[in-house]
Amino acid sequence: MRVFVTGATGFVGTAVVRELIDAGHQVLGLARSDAGTKSLVAAGADVHWGSLEDLESLRSGAAAADGVIHTAFIHDFSNYGPAADADRLAIETLGDAVAGSDRPLIVTSGTLLAQRQGSFATEEDAPNPSFPRKSEEAALALAARGVRACVLRLPPSVHGNGDHGFVPRLISVACEKGVSAFIGDGLNRWPAVHRLDAVHLYRLVLEKGSAGATYHGVADEGVPTREIAEAIGRGLNVPVVSKSHEAAADHFGWIARFFGIDGPASSALTQERLRWRPVQPRIIADLNAKHYFEHAAEAALHRIDEPLHRTVQ
């Protein structure tokens, strides 16, 4: 299968490209820079020049493929509304390009966007209608029109070597502040998945997913944030402390709103339906492996209050 991958040069996207090629698929990767082009060529993928905001490039890329995996998202939390609108338009454009065929379209979302009805968010929980990001609504609307669109929700931490998301940001905060902190009692839970487990699931969904279905790429259903803070404290050899909810924003900056969420999620239905089994190290084991701390001092030089800018998920 020839697969068009958006976000193909990001943390998750690069691993998706490798997973697909290793499984015998051809990849057409979206790139917007010379560096991205070089990385895709080196990986053995074909290059499609464009960006998430260039709808014509998305349309032509999807039209030239047998399936689409959409991992791109503009993670600019200072302009989240416009970023969410750009994502919705991108999904609608990709869906229009594959409409009238049986070509799959996999749309990436997050487990924190689920409107949780029980102790854990499940694949059957609907997306939260009050959240600005409308990835799932756009995908499900396409499925209702007969497009073979489905949703893959990822947890807030997709971890592994090369991660530059939430956990490295927490490490940077701990470097700058001299303490590794959690909020309140630290019993609120974060789900997580290693990126290599996540990208294996992308391939399974591409090959076997059902139109209109939602899948969860979750290995750790809910790790107490206190345990994450303790692992960071061990890695940096700094004290581990609690911060009140009132003091959290000042200490953590913008990431406090995410680190304070209790968002456990299950992947039981996904594992049953697709026979997906996470086999990579879990998040605490990954933190204990030390690769997260090799460049911790350099990471601390970046401004902690800057929003996270990346086009992956």
Side-chain angles (χ1 to χ4, degrees):
M1 186 183 298
R2 183 171 171 82
V3 187
F4 180 47
V5 179
T6 72
T9 60
F11 177 62
V12 172
T14 54
V16 168
V17 170
R18 174 50 53 203
E19 170 78 17
L20 293 174
I21 290 174
D22 287 349
H25 295 290
Q26 295 179 314
V27 173
L28 180 64
L30 185 67
R32 58 176 181 171
S33 69
D34 290 338
T37 295
K38 290 178 181 177
S39 70
L40 286 171
V41 170
D46 294 328
V47 178
H48 184 78
W49 191 265
S51 70
L52 197 60
E53 298 92 339
D54 183 352
L55 299 183
E56 183 52 42
S57 73
L58 298 180
R59 185 177 294 107
S60 59
D66 303 310
V68 179
I69 295 179
H70 177 53
T71 72
F73 188 81
I74 303 169
H75 286 260
D76 181 354
F77 294 108
S78 63
N79 293 287
Y80 198 77
D85 288 340
D87 183 52
R88 176 182 54 79
L89 288 172
I91 292 166
E92 292 171 351
T93 300
L94 294 168
D96 287 342
V98 300
S101 70
D102 193 41
R103 290 177 290 170
L105 167 61
I106 302 169
V107 171
T108 305
S109 184
T111 60
L112 294 183
L113 275 65
Q115 194 170 18
R116 197 170 89 210
Q117 300 299 314
S119 299
F120 294 82
T122 76
E123 296 87 340
E124 295 182 342
D125 289 329
N128 190 332
S130 64
F131 204 83
R133 186 170 177 177
K134 302 300 180 185
S135 310
E136 298 190 28
E137 289 90 334
L140 296 177
L142 290 169
R145 289 171 42 200
V147 176
R148 190 179 155 193
C150 53
V151 172
L152 198 164
R153 289 175 179 158
L154 296 177
S157 181
V158 180
H159 58 90
N161 209 341
D163 181 6
H164 48 271
F166 287 132
V167 168
R169 187 54 58 105
L170 293 170
I171 292 171
S172 295
V173 172
C175 283
E176 182 182 82
K177 305 289 186 178
V179 296
S180 179
F182 53 89
I183 301 173
D185 59 13
L187 296 181
N188 62 298
R189 296 155 293 177
W190 259 25
V193 68
H194 194 284
R195 75 163 173 165
L196 297 183
D197 282 328
V199 301
H200 181 57
L201 179 57
Y202 271 104
R203 180 168 67 82
L204 292 178
V205 175
L206 175 78
E207 296 169 349
K208 303 176 182 179
S210 301
T214 297
Y215 301 96
H216 278 192
V218 173
D220 284 304
E221 292 188 335
V223 179
T225 55
R226 180 170 188 156
E227 293 184 16
I228 295 172
E230 289 170 345
I232 292 172
R234 288 193 299 272
L236 296 176
N237 194 27
V238 298
V240 179
V241 302
S242 171
K243 293 291 179 179
S244 69
H245 290 275
E246 294 74 18
D250 182 62
H251 180 84
F252 289 104
W254 62 266
I255 200 173
R257 76 183 97 163
F258 297 99
F259 199 45
I261 290 174
D262 183 47
S266 167
S267 62
L269 293 176
T270 297
Q271 294 192 44
E272 177 186 343
R273 292 167 179 168
L274 296 181
R275 298 295 185 263
W276 174 68
R277 298 292 184 269
V279 297
Q280 298 297 326
R282 302 301 173 96
I283 188 169
I284 298 301
D286 211 6
L287 282 166
N288 289 340
K290 304 300 183 184
H291 64 83
Y292 269 99
F293 306 100
E294 291 174 353
H295 305 292
E298 297 174 21
L301 295 176
H302 296 290
R303 290 182 59 201
I304 301 304
D305 59 346
E306 286 183 351
L308 182 62
H309 294 273
R310 58 189 177 121
T311 310
V312 299
Q313 178 48 229

